Amino acid sequence: MNVPGSEQPREYPDGRPLPDQPTWRQDFPTDVPDDNHVARREFVKFLVLTSGAFVAGQCWIAAASALREKGPLPRLRLATVAELETKRVVEFRYPDEHEPCLALCLAPNDRVPIIKLNAVAHVSNPVSDRFGFIDRSIEWHPERQYIIVSVNANSLWHGPSVIQLPQQPGFPTLDAGQETFNSRLVAPTRVGLGVN
Amino acid sequence: MPAEMEFFVDPHRCIGCHACEHACAECETHKGNSMIHIEYVERSTSVQTVPVVCMHCHSPTCADVCPADAIKRSADGRVMTARKPRCIGCSNCVLACPFGVPKMMTELELMMKCDMCFDRTSTGRKPMCATVCPSEALFFGTREEVEQRRKRSRPTNEFRFGDQTVTTKVNMMVPRGRTESHLDVTAALHEKPTGGLISLNVLTAAPVPVGGAS
């Protein structure tokens, strides 16, 4: 006994074979093997197009990065160390408006660390709160050349360091290493001296 | 090479017992709904019934008219139930099928039809309806078996609907003596059934109430 599994060719109302049928019949075949063929073809199209789009995007990013690195970083005068008192904050954006930063002076005559706020943008937090928690919970480790900004329990972000420095000559380099920070740092919404 | 199993429908042998419907509904692959139904030819004058099962056309009109590309035909020629993710429940297939087979299951928003018990026949078993049919009006076997068992009839799979000729995977048994290569369904619609007629008493006056009530 043989189960009815043998190939049975599709017939069309006009009697012509599939290659002679209108395009819509070839694109939407009713036979499962032909439909699978079309599905595989469409999937390959999707893969090729999306992969091409990713490659083009990566090339565009690389090209844009290469062009951007050619130019010198702008110089920005924030304040002198003398102007910064202990636990005073200078809020600024560097190198452009989309890169919010804080300059802190935690001890007199200390070097000025730079905190780059680029991880969490939670704009609903009031600025005073932001400065407040910095005042309350910031830890300064001059011997280790980095700071830890830890905040209260309902932190919104947990992960590797959010502390990065813009590559600007004249500022000390902070090495956060692989330290983990709990932070709900928010992007500053105004530029100026933040004194609380 | 072993002979291929085929499906044969012999309406002349149908006794209208509905066993096929109940057996089909037992199958869980279509959620208790029967994919076969019994049609009464001329119920007022005849007891003749016909089992209506999907004929699995070689050029399935239901699939051609489906706007959602939901009805597919397997490699061995079975026209399957509409694919659930695609079927939009438009009932185009129900209206277009020349044999009146597809059923629109409104509660499922899905067209369902006979797939010749794909789960059973693909493993060498007979379809449920053919298994239970007591008169073998639904027969699943080899062509040689049919030739041996049906001396007075022969199978045909060519049907004529007006100018449209439809060939099918399922065979219909016709009188062996007839020489036509096809079955003219449209012409048969206007034929009165012969044989097996019954006479019904038609009342011409209001019946007398039982019990002699005034």
Side-chain angles (χ1 to χ4, degrees):
Chain A
M1 186 176 73
N2 184 23
V3 297
S6 60
E7 292 287 329
Q8 193 144 32
R10 170 75 152 89
E11 293 179 4
Y12 295 93
D14 58 6
R16 296 183 296 171
L18 181 60
D20 298 333
Q21 291 295 320
T23 308
W24 68 268
R25 276 196 190 277
Q26 300 178 36
D27 286 343
F28 300 98
T30 53
D31 278 14
V32 171
D34 296 331
D35 187 58
N36 290 341
H37 173 75
V38 172
R40 287 196 301 272
R41 189 180 64 191
E42 295 296 320
F43 183 59
V44 169
K45 277 185 186 176
F46 171 78
L47 283 183
V48 170
L49 290 177
T50 52
S51 301
F54 275 119
V55 169
Q58 293 294 323
C59 292
W60 181 80
I61 291 173
S65 301
L67 290 177
R68 186 163 51 240
E69 290 172 358
K70 284 181 179 177
L73 289 171
R75 296 184 65 84
L76 177 66
R77 184 184 183 281
L78 299 177
T80 63
V81 175
E83 291 172 347
L84 290 173
E85 299 173 3
T86 302
K87 295 188 178 181
R88 300 296 289 271
V89 178
V90 170
E91 182 179 348
F92 63 101
R93 292 169 186 264
Y94 184 87
D96 55 36
E97 286 297 312
H98 304 291
E99 302 287 343
C101 302
L102 292 180
L104 301 179
C105 181
L106 303 177
N109 302 320
D110 205 346
R111 290 184 293 180
V112 179
I114 304 299
I115 307 173
K116 186 175 182 182
L117 307 175
N118 63 347
V120 179
H122 187 55
V123 294
S124 64
N125 268 13
V127 176
S128 60
D129 282 357
R130 192 168 68 248
F131 291 158
F133 76 70
I134 288 174
D135 278 345
R136 284 195 304 271
S137 57
I138 197 164
E139 298 176 40
W140 172 235
H141 301 269
E143 72 283 0
R144 297 175 62 184
Q145 293 294 298
Y146 71 87
I147 62 171
I148 297 176
V149 180
S150 57
V151 292
N152 49 20
N154 58 347
S155 56
L156 299 177
W157 186 82
H158 179 86
S161 171
V162 297
I163 301 175
Q164 299 177 12
L165 275 181
Q167 299 300 316
Q168 185 186 20
F171 285 94
T173 299
L174 301 183
D175 179 15
Q178 296 299 317
E179 292 286 342
T180 297
F181 299 94
N182 289 324
S183 170
R184 60 186 186 103
L185 290 175
V186 298
T189 54
R190 62 184 176 88
V191 178
L193 283 174
V195 180
N196 222 10
Chain B
M1 180 178 176
E4 184 170 333
M5 304 290 281
E6 294 183 67
F7 200 104
F8 301 91
V9 179
D10 192 349
H12 188 68
R13 301 178 69 90
C14 181
I15 59 174
C17 67
H18 295 265
C20 51
E21 289 182 346
H22 292 284
C24 184
E26 288 290 322
C27 183
E28 61 184 14
T29 59
H30 33 80
K31 299 178 173 56
N33 299 299
S34 176
M35 298 291 103
I36 186 174
H37 70 274
I38 299 298
E39 195 77 40
Y40 291 87
V41 179
E42 191 74 35
R43 200 167 191 179
S44 61
T45 56
S46 171
V47 295
Q48 181 64 57
T49 53
V50 178
V52 180
V53 65
C54 180
M55 302 300 286
H56 299 280
C57 306
H58 293 158
S59 176
T61 309
C62 56
D64 284 343
V65 302
C66 179
D69 198 26
I71 303 174
K72 294 298 173 189
R73 180 177 172 272
S74 65
D76 60 343
R78 302 163 196 248
V79 185
M80 314 300 280
T81 285
R83 293 182 176 180
K84 175 64 176 168
R86 294 185 181 182
C87 183
I88 58 175
C90 66
S91 297
N92 267 10
C93 50
V94 178
L95 300 173
C97 176
F99 297 101
V101 170
K103 294 173 71 176
M104 182 61 209
M105 312 302 289
T106 52
E107 65 274 15
L108 300 176
E109 295 182 343
L110 176 68
M111 184 283 283
M112 299 182 74
K113 59 178 281 301
C114 161
D115 59 1
M116 208 192 289
C117 286
F118 188 84
D119 54 330
R120 294 175 59 84
T121 53
S122 60
T123 57
R125 291 178 291 173
K126 293 183 178 182
M128 287 294 284
C129 55
T131 305
V132 300
C133 183
S135 60
E136 293 189 348
L138 300 166
F139 184 78
F140 190 76
T142 64
R143 193 163 285 259
E144 288 73 23
E145 284 179 305
V146 170
E147 295 283 341
Q148 186 180 3
R149 299 162 79 110
R150 305 282 183 269
K151 301 295 185 186
R152 298 173 60 185
S153 56
R154 61 175 175 84
T156 184
N157 68 339
E158 186 175 337
F159 302 87
R160 188 75 58 84
F161 296 88
D163 294 334
Q164 182 186 13
T165 300
V166 175
T167 57
T168 62
K169 181 179 178 66
V170 174
N171 299 282
M172 185 74 72
M173 301 303 290
V174 296
R176 186 176 289 274
R178 302 297 293 264
T179 58
E180 295 91 341
S181 63
H182 62 273
L183 196 61
D184 195 335
V185 181
T186 312
L189 289 175
H190 305 293
E191 288 182 2
K192 291 294 182 184
T194 58
L197 295 179
I198 59 174
S199 61
L200 299 176
N201 294 325
V202 179
L203 299 177
T204 58
V208 178
V210 179
S214 58

